[in-house]
Amino acid sequence: MRSVAEAQKCVLEQVRPLPPVTARLDAPPLGLVLAEDIISDVDMPPFTKALMDGYAIRASSLSGGMSELTVVEEITAGKWPVCGIGPGEAAQIMTGAPLPEGADAVVMRERSQTLEGNRVRLEDAAIRPGSNVMPRGREMRRGDVVLKCGTRIRPQEAGLLATVGRTAFQVHPAPRVAILSTGDEVVEPTATPRPGQIRNGNGSMLVAQVCRAGGVPRYLGIAGDRVEALRPRIVEGLGDDVLILSGGVSAGKLDLVPQVLADLGMRALFHKVSMKPGKPVLFGVRSRQTGDDPPHLVFGLPGNPVSAMVCFELFVRPALRALMALPPGPPFVQASLAEDFAYRTDRPTYHPARLWSTEGRWLVQPVPWFGSPDLRAVAAANAFVVFPEGDHRHGAGETFPVLCVEDRE
Ligand code: AMP
Ligand code: MG
């Protein structure tokens, strides 16, 4: 049986970033990755500008640290100066306004005193050419690459795109992810379960996990354990970039998902991984109808909720990130066990746990857990600590890899 690391490698080998699409600034595509270099069409600032409200002067006019000058003009932001500044002259200027010809510094208003007849007394022993001004092009020059292809868009990138007038630009899109729950016993959360039935916890959980990973989920409901019920829903789900199924991939009599997927042209790349929970997990690909676009990815997750959750984080999340041209991310940290913990397991086990850091060190504490159906235990957890197979008494302070499932960016 494959190890988790081998299975992850197998998934990532199948994934390439989705072909770029046009995004627009009126709905900034936060978290997506630019698929082109962005070049500035302007110098920024476009003119040498005042960084303070005050008086634009020649610094040499204040060589003694104090002087009385003649005010020749008032320049507010958005206005273009008409007078030049000579020795002994000043222009009243506001933050963001262009510096007049001949001026090379701004004395802040707090260091001024207005006098009779357009005169002002300025006092600033520290003034130098360049004080309180930002020269043209200091931030960027026209023609500069201000954002490189591969940059992830955050609010500051959105502002920069606006600054250089790029209201439309190319990004790798968020993958569309279809989610289908399977099982004759599974009913919608709005229903009151009859004897033998349970509600579809996985559907909402997987929708939320897709959102957290940056994908666009599409909930396809529940299909019963019959070929006629599964087939049309799976066909629908195969229209999206990724299809996630839950349930129906184990060795039970009604676990029909692998066969239906195979009949619909999915090539299985693995089925079963050496892990607990989540062993029956299935992964496959189906070629696109069009060109050489990357294949549709299909994940058959086991029905038990904790298995489905762990398999999503280990296999689906890195795939969604790779489709968006993001690095798979380092979701593991090494953490020290906060208390002794005795544990016996026959496969590497992802045990729900609480992870926290103190004094620059990660600590981890397993939470009480009754196994793969017990999602309630995971509500008290923010991570999964990985215990090796065997019968062990793990001592406090021993370190283990921990799968982080909360966002830490
Ligand atoms: P399966 O993988 O189909 O054999 O299901 C394994 C276990 O998970 C069974 O106890 C199912 O009832 C349960 N299960 C399957 N699907 C769901 C679901 N969508 N939500 C919650 N539990 C489920
Ligand atoms: Mg089932």
Side-chain angles (χ1 to χ4, degrees):
M1 217 184 317
R2 269 167 216 263
S3 68
V4 166
E6 286 163 351
Q8 284 178 318
K9 185 162 171 278
C10 170
V11 170
L12 290 179
E13 277 167 5
Q14 296 301 320
V15 190
R16 278 178 287 130
L18 290 168
V21 296
T22 302
R24 293 184 193 283
L25 262 190
D26 47 17
L30 274 181
L32 296 188
V33 169
L34 277 173
E36 59 171 331
D37 286 344
I38 300 295
I39 294 167
S40 177
D41 69 340
V42 286
D43 290 345
M44 275 307 283
F47 41 80
T48 299
K49 73 174 180 183
L51 293 176
M52 295 278 179
D53 296 326
Y55 290 88
I57 61 162
R58 294 188 178 192
S60 56
S61 298
L62 223 64
S63 49
M66 183 171 42
S67 191
E68 290 181 13
L69 297 100
T70 304
V71 181
V72 297
E73 191 182 5
E74 183 186 277
I75 313 161
T76 50
K79 247 183 87 181
W80 196 253
V82 286
C83 305
I85 295 290
E89 291 179 341
Q92 199 176 0
I93 195 164
M94 310 305 149
T95 304
L99 221 64
E101 275 294 316
D104 59 13
V106 171
V107 175
M108 61 202 279
R109 192 195 170 97
E110 290 80 346
R111 297 180 175 279
S112 71
Q113 192 191 339
T114 20
L115 306 172
E116 297 275 294
N118 282 344
R119 302 276 292 168
V120 67
R121 177 181 297 131
L122 301 177
E123 194 178 343
D124 188 347
I127 202 85
R128 302 277 176 275
S131 296
N132 302 324
V133 303
M134 188 162 181
R136 173 178 180 161
R138 163 63 57 85
E139 183 187 346
M140 69 181 79
R141 291 269 177 205
R142 182 191 168 120
D144 282 355
V145 174
V146 288
L147 293 171
K148 278 197 170 322
C149 181
T151 302
R152 193 172 195 196
I153 294 171
R154 301 167 297 170
Q156 53 268 53
E157 279 75 28
L160 209 43
L161 284 157
T163 302
V164 302
R166 287 300 302 272
T167 52
F169 46 90
Q170 298 291 297
V171 294
H172 297 286
R176 292 166 305 128
V177 185
I179 294 158
L180 176 62
S181 300
T182 74
D184 283 338
E185 77 282 29
V186 184
V187 297
E188 289 293 351
T190 46
T192 302
R194 291 198 308 269
Q197 296 184 328
I198 55 164
R199 294 196 182 99
N200 181 12
N202 290 350
S204 301
M205 179 181 71
L206 291 167
V207 164
Q209 282 182 289
V210 168
C211 288
R212 182 163 69 179
V216 180
R218 188 160 71 100
Y219 176 62
L220 296 185
I222 303 161
D225 292 313
R226 279 160 291 117
V227 172
E228 320 80 74
L230 287 164
R231 202 179 153 96
R233 299 292 184 86
I234 290 178
V235 168
E236 194 183 346
L238 284 170
D240 285 348
D241 302 310
V242 179
L243 167 61
I244 304 175
L245 299 113
S246 93
V249 291
S250 311
K253 193 172 163 199
L254 292 180
D255 289 334
L256 306 171
V257 166
Q259 191 56 50
V260 175
L261 285 168
D263 292 346
L264 287 168
M266 184 204 73
R267 186 160 59 92
L269 291 166
F270 62 76
H271 190 180
K272 288 191 182 31
V273 173
S274 175
M275 61 186 285
K276 203 177 191 168
K279 177 174 146 191
V281 61
L282 164 79
F283 169 64
V285 292
R286 185 170 184 262
S287 325
R288 300 241 182 190
Q289 315 292 38
T290 49
D292 61 354
D293 285 352
H296 299 281
L297 308 177
V298 182
F299 296 90
L301 310 184
N304 271 311
V306 186
S307 314
M309 182 176 193
V310 169
C311 288
F312 180 96
E313 296 296 328
L314 287 174
F315 307 117
V316 187
R317 185 172 187 270
L320 298 186
R321 290 180 63 89
L323 287 168
M324 291 188 283
L326 290 169
F332 284 96
V333 298
Q334 283 289 329
S336 307
L337 210 53
E339 290 172 17
D340 293 353
F341 191 72
Y343 199 65
R344 178 170 25 166
T345 177
D346 58 353
R347 263 168 280 141
T349 294
Y350 291 74
H351 194 297
R354 275 206 340 98
L355 174 74
W356 71 98
S357 75
T358 40
E359 292 160 6
R361 197 164 84 101
W362 289 108
L363 290 173
V364 68
Q365 173 74 45
V367 299
W369 180 48
F370 297 111
S372 57
D374 182 13
L375 187 61
R376 184 181 177 189
V378 185
N382 61 353
F384 291 87
V385 55
V386 191
F387 290 124
E389 62 184 89
D391 188 355
H392 299 283
R393 286 200 64 80
H394 301 298
E398 226 179 291
T399 62
F400 293 92
V402 177
L403 173 66
C404 307
V405 295
E406 316 267 289
D407 282 332
R408 291 182 303 117
E409 285 172 274

